[in-house]
Amino acid sequence: MGLLSNRVQRESLKPGDHIYSWRAAYIYAHHGIYVGDDKVIHFTRRGQEVGTGTVLDVLLISSGPARSHQPCSTCTPPEEGQGVMSSCLNCFLSGGVLYRFEYAVTPALFLAKARGGTCTLAVSDPDDAVVHRAKYLLENGFGCYNLFKNNCEDFAIYCKTGLLVVEQGTLGQSGQAVSIIGGPLAAVLSTPLRLVTTNVYGMAATAVAVYCASRYVGDIGMRKDVVKISAEDLTRRLATGLLQVVEPQISATPARGSPLLLTQ
């Protein structure tokens, strides 16, 4: 467990590990579950490793690592409309560096890692349960991809914990999505200080405090709007409409519909 980096060697991986690799000059990270035999199961937008469902795709795809145009003989081609896919480790990394997501970290360590999407306060389930969820969802799907509510990190965190955010209009489990929202939020909330002080250090400290607080309360290990649900029940609810699936629209703003909404 590192303070500055979660970088690991391939030899240290074991089935059930949640791994990720940074894309687009560290703007975005792609997450997946290592299931052994050099295979990674991960959730993508229409089978493409870098995709958000918004105009951010232009930036992410253009500045992402170079990918070979030759099809890989060992990877499973994604089905039409199916976002969960199996890739070899090389294709998953796509030229990037391998990192391992950390679970059950202390609050101090969580806050020390200022960048979201690298660790969580939540506790992981046993490795065999994690691998089972990933393989089951490979066959049955995980709903529609959405950058802020149902992305690759959400998929990996669900596989590790079985926890799912179920309230409409809220962010998903993803720490990097919380960071994207938390930065501008911190700036907005700290702006009123300009009316009572010209101390730039005070305003900066307040902005940092608001940002850290938003990350902490938004972490899957602290949230109250989550439910533990099995992969079998998840896909059954998706199939029967008890979980509403909303396809995000390509636009400059994130889709407002919640891709995974539990209804009674």
Side-chain angles (χ1 to χ4, degrees), residues 108-165:
L109 181 58
F110 179 84
L111 293 175
K113 289 179 177 289
R115 184 69 181 267
T118 62
C119 63
T120 177
L121 301 161
V123 177
S124 171
D125 287 335
D127 292 335
D128 56 346
V130 176
V131 172
H132 167 73
R133 289 189 190 112
K135 290 184 175 180
Y136 189 87
L137 295 176
L138 175 64
E139 299 297 326
N140 295 278
F142 190 64
C144 296
Y145 188 100
N146 182 288
L147 172 63
F148 294 101
K149 298 178 181 178
N150 200 43
N151 59 37
C152 58
E153 186 184 346
D154 292 314
F155 169 81
I157 290 176
Y158 170 74
C159 289
K160 290 287 286 186
T161 66
L163 297 174
L164 196 67
V165 175

Side-chain angles (χ1 to χ4, degrees), residues 4-140:
L4 299 179
S5 174
N6 297 349
R7 184 171 180 173
V8 295
Q9 300 300 317
R10 294 178 181 227
E11 295 76 17
S12 70
L13 290 180
K14 65 182 186 304
D17 277 350
H18 173 174
I19 61 176
Y20 63 97
S21 181
W22 290 104
R23 303 284 198 264
Y26 292 89
I27 296 174
Y28 171 82
H30 188 55
H31 296 247
I33 299 295
Y34 182 72
V35 295
D37 298 324
D38 203 42
K39 294 289 186 181
V40 183
I41 296 176
H42 50 122
F43 183 51
T44 68
R45 177 173 169 266
R46 295 294 185 263
Q48 298 184 15
E49 286 200 318
V50 178
T52 67
T54 73
V55 293
L56 289 176
D57 286 349
V58 177
L59 172 64
L60 297 180
I61 294 175
S62 64
S63 58
R67 285 181 283 181
S68 172
H69 294 288
Q70 295 283 42
C72 178
S73 60
T74 64
C75 294
T76 303
E79 297 179 5
E80 181 64 27
Q82 173 63 282
V84 183
M85 62 184 296
S86 175
S87 302
C88 69
L89 186 56
N90 283 337
C91 286
F92 172 81
L93 294 175
S94 188
V97 176
L98 174 64
Y99 297 87
R100 181 160 47 212
F101 197 94
E102 298 174 355
Y103 284 80
V105 301
T106 65
L109 181 58
F110 179 84
L111 293 175
K113 289 179 177 289
R115 184 69 181 267
T118 62
C119 63
T120 177
L121 301 161
V123 177
S124 171
D125 287 335
D127 292 335
D128 56 346
V130 176
V131 172
H132 167 73
R133 289 189 190 112
K135 290 184 175 180
Y136 189 87
L137 295 176
L138 175 64
E139 299 297 326
N140 295 278

